[in-house]
Amino acid sequence: MGAAQQVRDAFEELYGTAPDGVWAAPGRVNLIGEHTDYNDGFVMPFALPHVATAAVARRTDGVLRLHSSDVEGGVVEFSLDALEPGTDHEWTAYPAGVVWALREAGHPVTGADVHLASTVPTGAGLSSSAALEVVIALALDDLFELGLQRWQLARLCQRAENVYVGAPTGIMDQTASACCEQGHALFLDTRDLSQKQIPFDLAAEGMRLLVVDTQVKHAHSGGEYGKRRAGCEKGAALLGVDALRDIPYDELDSALDRLGDEAEVRRLVRHVVTEDHRVERVVALLEAGDTRGIGPVLTEGHASLRDDFQVSCPELDLVVEAANAAGALGARMTGGGFGGSAIVLAEAADVDTIAKAVEEAFAAAGFKAPRVFEAVPSAGARRAD
């Protein structure tokens, strides 16, 4: 039985009636472009085969009922009129926040019954929360015939996470979940939301991309993420630009000189400007057919995240070190950092050797065993039944 049918059956068992439909939205891996999205910069995610699946039925009485097969407990019920930012600190804040954001924007959502199940690993830096938000937004857009574009759904989901949940995330995760295409990475300009689908079919070229989930949990609404964002905004203000995206790569040295003794801000600025440049380099390499050439750029990006942005951790550093030593083409942490996952680009023939080397390195360091799986560029959010 497929995941959609399982979720549909569970909905019927819970609510005593069939849902109006089943939808799915994926998690994502960011190939390159980390902590650039809230600086109006460039990112390059692709969707995972792992999805949040939701069976949903319309209601007309102003009631929202939520249930997840992944969380202990029964159905949680809300009055739509009582939805308020900052009042919910449970998993339900993500779907409820989307309903709040839709209604805040004037869309006539009158209630819903929802049952969810997700295969996106939580706390692994793979956007499990964005998948949850986007699947709800897409379902409600369909059921209430709101006629929203995918980028508009992503914006509303970001607002739900920023304002309702209180996590200061950028627009990348939601856009990736809503807009990615199978066999492609999404080159996204987070300032104007212009998109370009870049072919990224690793299997056809004899390569694989591994995700190594370190099993170290991270929490975005924690203070460290917000601190980095505030530091970037300070840097932009000191340099007299709207966002760090506006500092040209070839003018980086003079910009850093102008920051004087602001050592921390200098590091943050250097990472963002060089990372935007790395995204452009990866796009150019992929479009030129040199997929293997992106490997060193990934590793370079990790060093910048580790040393300048300081969002790595010993486990992530060990993945990159062990994978590259075992013959990987390149590796880096992916996602917000402070734990989560790393990605490893490798020749298909070397995958088992590299995975074993990483696992052995973790065991030798006394770390919890990592979870290793292949990331295949997959389809974005869609109706699943």
Side-chain angles (χ1 to χ4, degrees), residues 129-201:
S129 56
L132 205 53
E133 292 156 2
V134 170
V135 75
I136 297 298
L138 184 63
L140 296 177
D141 178 59
D142 279 0
L143 290 178
F144 291 94
E145 298 179 345
L146 305 179
L148 294 166
Q149 300 289 319
R150 290 301 181 97
W151 67 267
Q152 292 173 305
L153 292 178
R155 271 270 187 247
L156 285 161
C157 290
Q158 183 200 14
R159 179 164 165 73
E161 189 150 345
N162 289 174
V163 180
Y164 195 89
V165 178
T169 52
I171 189 66
M172 171 179 64
D173 297 350
Q174 293 84 0
T175 306
S177 186
C179 301
C180 278
E181 290 181 8
Q182 191 166 342
H184 292 76
L186 178 70
F187 177 37
L188 173 68
D189 181 333
T190 65
R191 172 167 281 168
D192 63 12
L193 297 190
S194 59
Q195 303 177 14
K196 189 174 186 184
Q197 301 284 347
I198 309 290
F200 190 55
D201 184 354

Side-chain angles (χ1 to χ4, degrees), residues 239-262:
L239 293 167
V241 292
D242 288 340
L244 294 182
R245 138 67 170 287
D246 297 312
I247 306 294
Y249 177 72
D250 56 10
E251 293 173 24
L252 175 59
D253 288 345
S254 65
L256 295 176
D257 288 344
R258 278 156 50 210
L259 290 170
D261 58 2
E262 291 276 359

Side-chain angles (χ1 to χ4, degrees), residues 44 198 278-290 294:
M44 203 171 179
I198 309 290
R278 279 186 284 275
V279 178
E280 293 180 301
R281 285 162 62 199
V282 167
V283 171
L285 286 163
L286 290 177
E287 289 190 326
D290 184 10
I294 73 173

Side-chain angles (χ1 to χ4, degrees), residues 321-365:
E321 195 183 301
N324 283 335
L329 295 164
R332 73 173 193 91
M333 59 157 278
T334 187
F338 312 110
S341 298
I343 55 173
V344 178
L345 183 68
E347 301 288 356
D350 297 336
V351 161
D352 291 345
T353 307
I354 291 166
K356 188 165 181 275
V358 170
E359 286 160 359
E360 286 175 352
F362 267 55

